[in-house]
């Protein structure tokens, strides 16, 4: 029987925040001749490095990385844009005889590639967004439930950016968001990193303290000076939100660190809830298990 073309295959590495996805992706890329495509909804933005845990040039270990620093934080970056740029990167990586390794924790970005999601191309509406941005995540989620219950069941109810975009699509199109999946473009192996609760909490704490030491607060001060509003910074997720609160004297330094630790733990739990729905994921505990799965996948 003729083997399927290696060019049609991609590897995906998922897992909760701080679980070690980037390190594993680099080791796999070195061993199997791969290039890495980031699947992180914040690492696409320029100037957002420490707070997003963006990999440094040194940490890349000469492995090419794609979909980092491709957008201005002053502009909205959508999953439609992510899908287009990722597919372009996959094509280039395959043309070089390499294997694309998608690595990240943004479930919807990953699903847009693995399930070839067809997302309605509704252009951002500045006026509509301005009105929606005045509402809390709870208010946005409740409105989405009324307009499209099916979409509400499959969205992070705390992610204001995702909620606003979903509402924007529904309001502008006048229709519920259609079922998005279509015929997959790639043969995919999805590997998930599993950590026990205690271990993950310790990893989150160590990483948080490291980021603060590296200058995460200064990074966010610089983003504010560049013209980003407090509201915009708060919408970029936990690290940016709570540091912004601290810089506005809404929290003490101790409160900021304490709340960040708890909220990142909750976020990791939500990520695992999302990924646990995908029965295609092979959950692994170490690099050896991952290599065994990949060797079998690439030789099939």
């Amino acid at each position: 029987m003729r083997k399927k073309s290696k060019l049609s295959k991609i590897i995906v590495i998922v897992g909760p925040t701080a679980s070690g996805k980037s390190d594993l992706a680099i080791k796999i890329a070195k061993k199997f001749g791969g290039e890495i495509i980031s699947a992180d909804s914040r690492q696409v933005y320029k100037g957002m490095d420490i707070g997003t845990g963006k990999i440094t040039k040194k940490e890349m270990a000469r492995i090419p990385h794609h979909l980092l620093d491709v957008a201005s934080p002053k502009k909205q970056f959508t999953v439609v844009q992510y899908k287009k740029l990722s597919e372009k990167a996959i094509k280039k990586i395959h043309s070089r005889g390499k294997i694309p390794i998608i690595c990240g924790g943004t479930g919807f970005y990953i699903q847009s590639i693995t399930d070839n999601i067809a997302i309605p191309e509704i252009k951002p509406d500045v006026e509509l967004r301005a009105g929606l941005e005045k509402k809390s995540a709870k208010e946005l989620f409740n409105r989405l439930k009324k307009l499209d219950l099916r979409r509400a069941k499959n969205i992070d109810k705390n992610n204001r950016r995702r909620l606003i975009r979903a509402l924007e699509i529904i309001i502008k199109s006048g229709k519920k968001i259609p079922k998005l999946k279509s015929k997959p473009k790639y043969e995919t192996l999805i590997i998930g990193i599993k950590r026990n609760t205690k271990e993950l909490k310790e990893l989150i704490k160590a990483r948080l303290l490291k980021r603060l030491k590296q200058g995460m607060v200064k990074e966010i001060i610089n983003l504010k000076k560049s013209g980003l509003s407090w509201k915009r910074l708060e919408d970029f997720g936990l690290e940016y939100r709570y540091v912004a609160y601290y810089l506005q004297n809404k929290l003490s330094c101790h409160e900021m660190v304490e709340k960040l630790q708890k909220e990142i733990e909750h976020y990791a739990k939500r990520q695992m809830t999302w990924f646990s729905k995908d029965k295609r994921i092979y959950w692994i505990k170490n690099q050896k298990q991952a290599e065994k799965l990949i060797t079998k996948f690439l030789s099939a």
Side-chain angles (χ1 to χ4, degrees):
M1 186 181 287
R2 188 179 176 184
K3 289 182 180 179
K4 291 181 181 178
S5 170
K6 183 181 176 182
L7 297 185
S8 67
K9 297 183 178 184
I10 62 172
I11 295 167
V12 179
I13 298 174
V14 302
T17 187
S19 59
K21 296 183 294 293
S22 296
D23 288 344
L24 179 62
I26 288 169
K27 288 171 183 174
I28 286 170
K30 282 182 177 179
K31 186 172 179 68
F32 294 95
E35 297 185 20
I36 296 167
I37 300 171
S38 171
D40 188 295
S41 62
R42 303 182 303 170
Q43 291 184 6
V44 296
Y45 293 109
K46 298 170 186 174
M48 294 174 61
D49 304 324
I50 301 169
T52 66
K54 195 178 292 175
I55 193 166
T56 64
K57 291 287 184 184
K58 186 178 179 181
E59 289 167 340
M60 286 179 189
R62 299 183 186 175
I63 298 295
H65 281 63
H66 306 266
L67 273 289
L68 298 173
D69 301 320
V70 295
S72 166
K74 293 179 182 179
K75 296 180 180 178
Q76 293 291 336
F77 185 86
T78 68
V79 71
V80 173
Q81 291 169 286
Y82 176 80
K83 187 171 187 283
K84 284 181 180 178
L85 290 175
S86 288
E87 289 182 342
K88 189 176 179 181
I90 289 169
K91 189 175 181 181
K92 284 184 178 179
I93 295 167
H94 277 150
S95 73
R96 291 191 280 269
K98 302 286 186 179
I99 186 78
I101 301 168
I102 298 174
C103 174
T106 303
F108 197 38
Y109 275 21
I110 292 165
Q111 198 179 22
S112 74
I113 302 300
T114 59
D115 297 335
N116 192 22
I117 288 178
I119 301 130
E121 292 198 46
I122 303 294
K123 290 183 179 180
D125 184 316
V126 177
E127 192 174 331
L128 175 60
R129 279 177 177 267
L132 292 172
E133 282 171 0
K134 292 176 184 176
K135 299 185 181 299
S136 68
K138 187 176 181 180
E139 289 172 322
L140 293 168
F141 182 67
N142 286 338
R143 187 171 182 186
L144 181 60
K145 277 201 296 186
K146 289 178 182 177
L147 294 175
D148 190 342
L149 184 59
R150 186 186 60 80
R151 181 68 185 106
K153 286 179 179 178
N154 294 288
I155 199 168
D156 179 354
K157 65 180 181 181
N158 297 296
N159 191 320
R160 294 182 74 258
R161 283 187 297 145
R162 292 267 180 278
L163 291 165
I164 288 170
R165 181 57 181 163
L167 286 168
E168 184 177 48
I169 291 170
I170 295 164
I171 294 166
K172 291 288 288 183
S173 67
K175 301 174 184 176
K176 292 181 179 180
I177 297 175
K179 287 189 177 180
L180 307 175
K181 293 183 183 181
S182 54
K183 188 177 179 180
K185 284 187 177 182
Y186 314 105
E187 188 182 352
T188 307
L189 170 66
I190 310 177
I191 294 171
I193 300 178
K194 204 162 195 175
R195 303 282 188 189
N196 65 51
T197 304
K198 185 182 177 183
E199 185 183 17
L200 191 58
K201 281 183 179 182
E202 289 171 355
L203 287 168
I204 289 169
K205 185 177 182 179
R207 192 187 65 176
L208 175 57
L209 294 176
K210 182 183 176 183
R211 288 183 182 181
L212 288 166
K213 191 175 180 180
Q214 286 175 325
M216 183 166 70
V217 174
K218 188 177 180 181
E219 175 176 279
I220 294 165
I221 289 171
N222 289 336
L223 286 166
K224 181 69 174 68
K225 286 179 179 177
S226 75
L228 295 182
S229 67
W230 289 123
K231 187 68 175 170
R232 178 66 171 154
L233 285 166
E234 289 164 18
D235 282 347
F236 277 125
L238 299 174
E239 292 85 354
Y240 294 88
R241 184 178 309 144
Y242 284 97
V243 173
Y245 289 163
Y246 163 65
L247 292 171
Q248 294 172 82
N249 297 313
K250 293 179 179 179
L251 293 174
S252 68
C253 185
H254 176 74
E255 287 171 330
M256 173 189 73
V257 176
E258 197 173 60
K259 284 183 177 291
L260 262 176
Q261 176 71 25
K262 287 180 182 177
E263 289 300 323
I264 294 170
E265 287 173 13
H266 292 158
Y267 173 62
K269 192 174 181 180
R270 293 197 299 273
Q271 284 180 303
M272 284 305 295
T273 299
W274 172 284
F275 290 128
S276 66
K277 295 174 185 176
D278 194 336
K279 303 307 177 186
R280 297 169 297 178
I281 299 175
Y282 291 88
W283 293 100
I284 57 105
K285 293 180 180 179
N286 54 54
Q287 184 182 342
K288 190 176 179 180
Q289 289 178 340
E291 288 178 0
K292 189 176 179 181
L293 287 166
I294 293 166
T295 299
K296 185 178 179 182
F297 173 67
L298 294 178
S299 63

